[in-house]
Amino acid sequence: MRIAVTHTTSYHSDTPARAVQALRLVPRSLRGQTVLSWQVRVEGAGGGLRYTDAFGNAVELMASHGPTTSVVITAEGVVETEDTAGVVGFPPEAVVPAVCLRNTALTEADDAIRAVAATCRRETALATLHAVLDGLHAAVAYGTGTTGSFTTAAAAFAAKRGVCQDHAHIFIAAARSLGLPARYVTGYLLTEEADAVAHHAWAEAMTPDLGWVGFDAANGQCPTDRYVRLAAGLDAAEAAPVRGVRLGAGSETLQVNVGVQASQSQSQSQG
Amino acid sequence: MLKTQAYNTGNDTVCFDEMLRPDFSARECYRTLFEWLQRQSPGGIRAKQAEADAIFRRLGITFAVYGAAEANERLIPFDLIPRVISAAEWRFLERGIEQRVRALNAFLHDIYHRQEIVRAGRIPSELVNGNSAFLPQMMGFDPPRGVYSHIIGTDIVRTEEDGFFVLEDNLRTPSGVSYMLENRETMMHLFPELFAAHRVAPVERYPELLRQTLQSVAPSGCDGEPAVAVLTPGIYNSAYFEHAFLADQMGVELVQGSDLVVEDGALWMRTIRGRARVDVLYRRIDDAFIDPLNFRPDSMLGVPGLFDLYRAGRVTLVNAPGTGIADDKAVYAYVPDIVEFYTGEKPILKNVQTFRCSIAEERGHVLEHLEELVVKEVHGSGGYGMLIGPRSTRQQRADFAERIRANPGNYIAQPTLALSTCPAFAGSGIGPRHVDLRPFVLVGDRVRVVPGGLTRVALKKGSLVVNSSQGGGTKDTWVLED
């Protein structure tokens, strides 16, 4: 499937301040996806500093020239995808799988997560991970409003409700508690019903034979050809497409618009 | 003034004295100093000590002691009797230290790349990859010249004639080198005749060597003479004096995070003449605080985007972030294996026997022998949070046993070492006091071990804790040349 993405992130503030942002907004070609074209434009800040981080993400650092009230970042491109049943394999990257057993504040399992995870043990890592996927999809409802960007896996699991970030964090916490390396992945999803969508997040876990495999607990499935993979990290904070620091006082409003479309289909925005 | 019979009776433990043999004859490297000490009058020494104290007070070399309510800053006591190390002893130490720092830098390169040592089963994966001092963000990055730890202060203790042990490797941001330099300058001022009678290896070139080392690891794209700056957390840091001192001695800028800005793909410092580029940053700020964008977001001390700039090869951070994994107290027990793995040689310097409380068998031994052992927190430093078994009360041991059981991975234990003693001026006379040694090593285009270092001395009679935060003092350290 050919998927076109336009992803705009805008920051506006009432008082001018310096802005420094690290962008992880460039997908890479790997098993299941080929990046046909991609570009990132930034208004209000200069950049040009690029490197590949430990997880293989292309990072670009943006810094405003002096104080600014507005930064607008637009990532745009076309990706050719195919359904690999979520299998990403062994893409070239510096990080070793064992690093993905490390917990962060957002992905620390509590007793409740550990207990559920323990009931999911099966013969193989892959079967275990599918059991975790099914279990979490059933146990945690999808819903906005109860959780925020800093909600931990444990808190979201206790609330039995969350958004894709929470489902991914809980899945990661459960997998790591079983000794299976897992990580957070950001990307885009073209939904079945509207044929359009927004930014999405899911998890990847390591299996000995297949390598990294994606698990989307929010939708109870492994990624298909309707998914575009953007960046990976130990948790949502590390893999964030835009991570910024604003140096100065005053409040800030953030708006994210993502349009994802199958070639020639209609786009839709989500705030 | 020194009466040999009185010298040793003040000593309540039987241990190796670096000046006198058990028969009260002086060891060769101390002979001249020993004879000189015997000619001095108590009043003369006391007057020199007062003069030395006045010099240090004027220089403003003070040390902030955390948690000491009565005085935020005080002078670190300086003992004016130098510690002497023979040329042969130094050659041995120098070889051992160089072997160790090369191996530890190779270890850092390996664990931030393919982790061959983990694959080979020589060190547990969890100990490296699960360690809070290990920074996954560093994986796959090649620092200039492959050097991670450029400035090292290896802590060495001695228990007998040939018994040198490494106590800690200090690969993060070791401090104390300013005391080494100031102690020497003060001694040369006070006792020119003693320097005339000895061939003491110079330490004065350290700031110049430090600058050369820093410039030698500039990013590969840097053209012209690399610009160096020293990044300090500020005046409230206990080692602020040293940060200012080193910047001044090297002739480079001393900056704080608020003086620096990441812009146009480079690091700049704000100066009164506009912005000036920085190629190499000698940072005296802990990893967690160097960059709020990449590490602790609440850090006010760092520079947003600094780590991204570093990974992109536009600035060199010294020491590299993530070096702490190599001087982690739990990793310490594996250093002899690390030396063998990367050098193919037997370690020249010995490790102190270390029991890991994370391992049930070793923990059992520790809990049964608390009275004989020194227990340390894995991530502690500066002599805080430790138990010295032989000097502890029953209650203290019970408290520690409980803490070990609650969080075993956080503790290691070592035998109480009979640290060697050196003569120190102890108010009423000269007596033996326990010492350790922190030589300073620079790793850039080559490895340089400055002959000497900082000798720390436990001025309290019988005390084994030499940390300045616990009332220890310092001495000048003389490495004799052949």
Side-chain angles (χ1 to χ4, degrees), chain A residues 18 20 22 48-54 59 61 63-66 94-96 98-99 102 234 238 243-245 247, chain B residues 113 115 125 128-132 134 136-137 139-140 261-265 292-294 304-305 308-309 311-312 314:
Chain A
R18 265 199 94 235
V20 181
L49 187 85
R50 295 188 184 85
Y51 69 95
T52 303
D53 75 8
V59 183
L61 188 74
S64 65
H65 270 278
V95 83
V96 293
V99 166
R102 280 170 86 91
L234 287 178
E238 280 197 14
R243 181 156 53 166
V245 169
L247 306 155
Chain B
H113 288 82
Q115 302 199 335
S125 173
V128 174
N129 292 307
N131 198 306
S132 61
F134 177 79
Q137 293 94 325
M139 291 207 79
V261 60
V262 171
E263 225 170 55
D264 301 327
L293 188 60
N294 285 282
D308 298 290
L309 207 59
R311 277 232 43 163
R314 304 292 183 88

Side-chain angles (χ1 to χ4, degrees), chain B residues 69 91 100 105 157-158 283 302 334 374 432:
Chain B
R91 274 192 296 272
R100 202 160 162 117
N105 265 305
V157 295
R158 186 176 193 179
R283 50 97 185 193
Y334 293 88
V374 175

